[in-house]
Amino acid sequence: MPSTYSLLLVLPFCVFIVTGLRRAWASFNDRRLARRHGCGQPSRYPHKDPLGLDLFFQTGKQIKQQNRLRGIRDLYEVYGNTFETNSFGSTVINTIDPANIQTFLSLEFSKYVLEPIRFPVASPIMGYSIFTTDGLLWEKARNEIKPVFARAEISNLANFEGHLDNMMKRLPLDGSLFDIAPFVDDLYLADSLDYLFAQSIIFPNRDLSSLNAGFLKSFRASTAGAGRRHLLGRLRYVIPDPPFRQACKELHEFADVHIDAALKYLQQDSDSPAESKMGRSTFLLDLARQTQDRRYLRNQLLAVFMAGHESTAVLVEDAIYELARHPEVWDRARAEALGLAGKPLTFELVRSQQYLYQVIKEVLRLHPLSPTSSRIALEPTILPRGGKGNTPLLVPAGATVMVHRQALHLNKELYGEDADMFRPQRWEKLKQGWHYMPFSGGPRTCPAQAMAMAQAAAVLTRLLQKVEKIQGEGDWKEGWGLVVRNVAGVWVRLIPS
């Protein structure tokens, strides 16, 4: 009889042999699949170490120097539209080829997953949510949340206009230089707390300014922490981040207070809810009518707030930045907006401004809010291009496929020699496709994109109607978090009509 000590010595050796055999068999099957589809070898980044730490540290340096977006574009210019890199020993296929993007985000959707990328980064904030899960959990959340946004697109723009009017009254219209970004941030915070958290309904006539200020501070700390976790990769598990954990705890407490009040409100006012009388829809109350699972409500509430609050504000700020530097675009958009003067801002009205929507599309092309879209292959799959000589490319199981949105949107092969110029009129003929994906694509396209675009159009419409001339100063300087935004502020002078 072998001793327990002998078995303990043999067991690791057996595990090593079995693991090696499994990898060899997988590699054999990959090569056979690649030959069958005529796959070529990808262009590869020449790493200096087996873990790809050279590129990891270069990324960190570029983010610190505020030129990471330029660095990404440089990689594509050197290595082509699809190339392979190494991230802590794992294969990453980087691509800005529209055919490849359509394949992994849509055509082969079931063969790729997102949860292993997002859950380790964002789960301390939002747990199992629409933002962090795949499969049945994601489908359930999607099916419940998408109709909520569909109702809000129609019913909530009038309520948003109230918050917008408050912002417009506060703007200095004397030609003085000021940063308009904090005004836009405050606008979207007020609307998010009203629509997502239903504050004006569940806490009527109550001053929540101190509570909200604390929440915003915790939110910014948590998103910064999530950004750090994303950049650290596997190192996130060994580098502690107590401020991030504390911020997450405070977010949960804030959400739980609102969820408890919402459930109590629904019990007391279920026959004739106040928001129905006002013709309004609120995310928390709509979702709470479908489930009373507090943890589920908290996860979805924080996921939607994190995904939408900052990004929509940044869209408007980037639009103002570009308009302030292109007076001919401002004048044309203003002429269109003045045709709607005196009318309430309905969903249909703001969407009727074709040129303004072209402006917004062009802003999202030059300044995509989320820098990347990534998936991990569940099984060996084939991308239509990416091998040498424009041949198909094998993606092995476990590899990450990543698209960098700004590099895609500035690709001169797709947009012409003026790809890096702000030219909204290009959208008069240019059709949306897989070369343009500001809200991702495929089944996981952002469910709130129509509402985000309508709200951005509403803000810009009121600004165009009230301000005759706008002048901008200062440069756009990138700051990385869950979104990429201009951290230098949006400094403008507004000259009223």
Side-chain angles (χ1 to χ4, degrees):
M1 291 287 292
S3 66
T4 302
Y5 179 73
S6 299
L7 288 174
L8 289 175
L9 289 176
V10 171
L11 185 60
F13 177 75
C14 292
V15 171
F16 176 78
I17 293 297
V18 171
T19 301
L21 289 173
R22 289 180 63 184
R23 288 180 177 175
W25 180 249
S27 177
F28 171 76
N29 285 332
D30 285 352
R31 290 195 300 271
R32 187 170 59 178
L33 181 65
R35 284 196 301 270
R36 188 162 70 243
H37 289 272
C39 295
Q41 291 296 312
S43 173
R44 289 188 172 94
Y45 181 84
H47 288 285
K48 298 177 181 178
D49 64 90
L51 296 179
L53 295 179
D54 53 347
L55 192 57
F56 171 79
F57 288 119
Q58 178 180 306
T59 297
K61 181 179 179 181
Q62 289 173 346
I63 290 174
K64 186 175 181 180
Q65 295 176 343
Q66 298 180 315
N67 62 1
R68 174 58 182 157
L69 293 174
R70 177 68 260 179
I72 292 170
R73 299 200 302 276
D74 288 344
L75 289 175
Y76 282 103
E77 289 176 6
V78 173
Y79 301 106
N81 289 345
T82 302
F83 63 94
E84 182 182 304
T85 56
N86 176 358
S87 177
F88 296 96
S90 297
T91 297
V92 179
I93 305 297
N94 306 271
T95 187
I96 55 172
D97 188 308
N100 291 344
I101 297 168
Q102 182 182 21
T103 298
F104 83 88
L105 289 183
S106 181
L107 299 179
E108 301 282 4
F109 176 78
S110 63
K111 297 180 181 179
Y112 289 87
V113 291
L114 185 62
E115 188 171 321
I117 299 172
R118 286 187 178 174
F119 190 82
V121 171
S123 60
I125 301 172
M126 63 190 71
Y128 291 95
S129 68
I130 189 173
F131 189 74
T132 58
T133 57
D134 293 307
L136 295 177
L137 287 175
W138 170 76
E139 289 178 10
K140 177 180 184 294
R142 175 86 173 190
N143 291 337
E144 291 176 346
I145 288 173
K146 192 172 182 180
V148 174
F149 281 122
R151 288 191 293 272
E153 288 169 9
I154 299 171
S155 65
N156 271 32
L157 204 53
N159 190 64
F160 178 77
E161 189 174 9
H163 297 297
L164 176 56
D165 288 342
N166 291 335
M167 185 197 81
M168 295 302 299
K169 292 174 184 176
R170 295 171 51 225
L171 294 179
L173 301 177
D174 56 2
S176 60
L177 183 66
F178 75 102
D179 181 9
I180 199 172
F183 292 86
V184 178
D185 289 341
D186 289 347
L187 163 66
Y188 277 97
L189 177 63
D191 179 69
S192 295
L193 293 173
D194 203 7
Y195 167 62
L196 294 178
F197 289 87
Q199 275 195 350
S200 63
I201 294 174
I202 61 177
F203 295 126
N205 305 316
R206 182 172 165 184
D207 183 9
L208 299 172
S209 56
S210 178
L211 183 68
N212 292 342
F215 169 70
L216 184 59
K217 181 179 178 181
S218 300
F219 166 73
R220 288 174 174 166
S222 68
T223 55
R228 290 192 296 272
R229 289 170 67 84
H230 175 71
L231 293 171
L232 285 171
R234 295 177 185 178
L235 292 178
R236 73 176 73 93
Y237 298 112
V238 296
I239 299 178
D241 195 345
F244 171 69
R245 295 289 177 176
Q246 179 61 30
C248 293
K249 178 176 180 290
E250 292 166 358
L251 288 184
H252 294 171
E253 293 171 351
F254 181 90
D256 289 344
V257 168
H258 288 75
I259 291 165
D260 290 341
L263 294 176
K264 182 178 179 181
Y265 165 83
L266 290 177
Q267 291 175 353
Q268 297 174 347
D269 203 23
S270 59
D271 295 331
S272 56
E275 75 272 23
S276 295
K277 297 175 185 177
M278 294 183 285
R280 288 177 54 194
S281 169
T282 63
F283 180 86
L284 175 56
L285 293 176
D286 278 2
L287 201 59
R289 289 189 176 94
Q290 301 179 55
T291 177
Q292 294 191 350
D293 183 331
R294 284 171 164 80
R295 184 180 291 270
Y296 178 83
L297 289 171
R298 180 219 286 167
N299 290 342
Q300 307 306 338
L301 186 60
L302 291 176
V304 172
F305 181 85
M306 178 162 287
H309 159 68
E310 187 177 19
S311 59
T312 318
V314 171
L315 166 57
V316 172
E317 291 161 17
D318 286 339
I320 294 172
Y321 176 90
E322 294 294 347
L323 286 168
R325 285 153 181 79
H326 297 87
E328 73 288 352
V329 177
W330 175 272
D331 291 342
R332 181 174 171 183
R334 185 166 189 269
E336 186 178 55
L338 289 176
L340 307 179
K343 299 178 181 179
L345 295 177
T346 64
F347 187 71
E348 294 75 14
L349 190 73
V350 295
R351 283 177 62 91
S352 70
Q353 299 176 91
Q354 294 184 5
Y355 185 68
L356 182 58
Y357 262 68
Q358 291 171 11
V359 169
I360 295 172
K361 287 180 182 178
E362 185 72 347
V363 169
L364 287 169
R365 188 184 69 84
L366 291 178
H367 305 286
L369 303 171
S370 178
T372 62
S373 285
S374 306
R375 301 288 189 273
I376 292 178
L378 286 172
E379 59 186 81
T381 59
I382 304 296
L383 296 179
R385 292 193 286 260
K388 295 287 179 65
N390 210 30
T391 56
L393 177 65
L394 173 76
V395 179
T400 298
V401 182
M402 177 183 297
V403 54
H404 295 91
R405 293 181 183 175
Q406 195 199 54
L408 169 69
H409 292 173
L410 297 185
N411 188 345
K412 293 183 179 180
E413 295 176 14
L414 302 172
Y415 289 94
E417 291 301 315
D418 64 350
D420 56 353
M421 295 177 59
F422 180 72
R423 199 170 67 84
Q425 60 269 30
R426 77 175 72 242
W427 293 101
E428 293 173 359
K429 297 181 179 180
L430 187 63
K431 303 298 182 183
Q432 288 189 211
W434 289 99
H435 59 281
Y436 180 74
M437 46 176 300
F439 296 100
S440 192
R444 294 196 78 130
T445 300
C446 173
Q449 62 175 303
M451 188 170 74
M453 296 269 291
Q455 287 189 345
V459 177
L460 296 174
T461 298
R462 284 290 180 254
L463 193 64
L464 288 160
Q465 290 172 341
K466 194 166 185 177
V467 176
E468 183 175 357
K469 299 291 181 183
I470 183 171
Q471 299 171 353
E473 296 185 18
D475 296 326
W476 198 98
K477 295 184 178 180
E478 67 186 65
W480 281 64
L482 292 183
V483 299
V484 176
R485 70 180 303 167
N486 178 11
V487 294
V490 184
W491 294 86
V492 295
R493 301 179 190 273
L494 302 182
I495 302 171
S497 302

